[in-house]
Amino acid sequence: GAGVSQSPSNKVTEKGKDVELRCDPISGHTALYWYRQSLGQGLEFLIYFQGNSAPDKSGLPSDRFSAERTGGSVSTLTIQRTQQEDSAVYLCASTPDRVYGYTFGSGTRLTVV
Amino acid sequence: QKEVEQNSGPLSVPEGAIASLNCTYSDRGSQSFFWYRQYSGKSPELIMSIYSNGDKEDGRFTAQLNKASQYVSLLIRDSQPSDSATYLCAAANSGYSTLTFGKGTMLLVSP
């Protein structure tokens, strides 16, 4: 596609429910990243994919968070048993290879009520 | 812990002035640095990258890097109200795989 596509753009969920966030990177981009941004905070790294493998998932805040990437393309970030502190904008980015300046998607705003 | 520090601002400048945004980083192994602009409610967009000591110019933007001082800056000449945004500084880690972002400096350009 022309850009990084994320869905849904907004998600409101009840505390304790599971949510799935989707990222469709730019075609041909091998590296894919998930970050989150809380109100007034910087971008917090979550996980990095190179192809379908995740060499760095050190930023996942707890075992409630998991992510996968299939076919070297689409990635899904899953948050189980959501908590209010999970409320944030979840941003996905991709690059052709490693780091040459990310292209970000428009993000998913997650609100846990 | 690898950190990127920025003054949160806001930095207020009049239209037509030079805006100077600064950033320091802790990881001496970082080799690549990036400036992103983020409008309120939008995602960050890349505006400059710099890899070598010295200056790099692109239109009204100049990025400066001093690896000895672990210091990166962004100058915006002839600032416009449309430049009002939060500017994020980012450093690539030693393995070139991920970026560490600062919390950003808010820039306000008044007409």
Side-chain angles (χ1 to χ4, degrees), chain B residues 38-68:
Chain B
Q38 186 173 28
Y39 293 113
S40 181
K42 302 294 185 182
S43 58
E45 58 177 322
L46 178 67
I47 54 173
M48 288 286 290
S49 59
I50 187 165
Y51 308 105
S52 304
N53 277 331
D55 295 359
K56 179 181 177 183
E57 186 174 320
D58 184 0
R60 295 187 297 113
F61 298 98
T62 298
Q64 300 174 317
L65 173 60
N66 183 324
K67 291 183 180 179

Side-chain angles (χ1 to χ4, degrees), chain A residues 4 23-34 47-55 68-75 92-103, chain B residues 96-97:
Chain A
V4 179
C23 173
D24 197 347
I26 292 173
S27 179
H29 281 195
T30 56
L32 184 148
Y33 309 82
W34 284 98
I47 188 168
Y48 153 59
F49 287 94
Q50 183 64 32
N52 291 335
S53 64
E68 65 174 8
R69 188 179 185 194
T70 56
S73 181
V74 173
S75 176
C92 176
S94 69
T95 66
D97 184 24
R98 297 196 171 185
V99 179
Y100 293 100
Y102 298 164
T103 299
Chain B
Y96 296 93
S97 60

Side-chain angles (χ1 to χ4, degrees), chain B residues 1-51:
Chain B
Q1 183 164 340
K2 299 163 188 172
E3 294 183 339
V4 175
E5 300 288 343
Q6 296 182 254
N7 188 317
S8 61
L11 172 66
S12 295
V13 301
E15 183 174 358
I18 296 174
S20 178
L21 304 160
N22 306 312
C23 165
T24 59
Y25 60 95
S26 64
D27 182 5
R28 283 201 169 273
S30 295
Q31 297 294 321
S32 305
F33 303 88
F34 303 85
W35 283 98
Y36 285 79
R37 178 175 63 199
Q38 186 173 28
Y39 293 113
S40 181
K42 302 294 185 182
S43 58
E45 58 177 322
L46 178 67
I47 54 173
M48 288 286 290
S49 59
I50 187 165
Y51 308 105

Side-chain angles (χ1 to χ4, degrees), chain A residues 30-92:
Chain A
T30 56
L32 184 148
Y33 309 82
W34 284 98
Y35 283 75
R36 73 177 177 181
Q37 188 173 34
S38 303
L39 189 62
Q41 299 298 310
L43 273 74
E44 176 187 8
F45 167 74
L46 298 177
I47 188 168
Y48 153 59
F49 287 94
Q50 183 64 32
N52 291 335
S53 64
D56 188 351
K57 41 189 169 182
S58 61
L60 294 177
S62 75
D63 58 8
R64 297 186 296 105
F65 287 73
S66 63
E68 65 174 8
R69 188 179 185 194
T70 56
S73 181
V74 173
S75 176
T76 302
L77 176 68
T78 301
I79 309 173
Q80 295 178 311
R81 305 180 303 282
T82 52
Q83 304 294 313
Q84 288 186 329
E85 61 263 29
D86 299 334
S87 296
V89 176
Y90 288 80
L91 290 162
C92 176

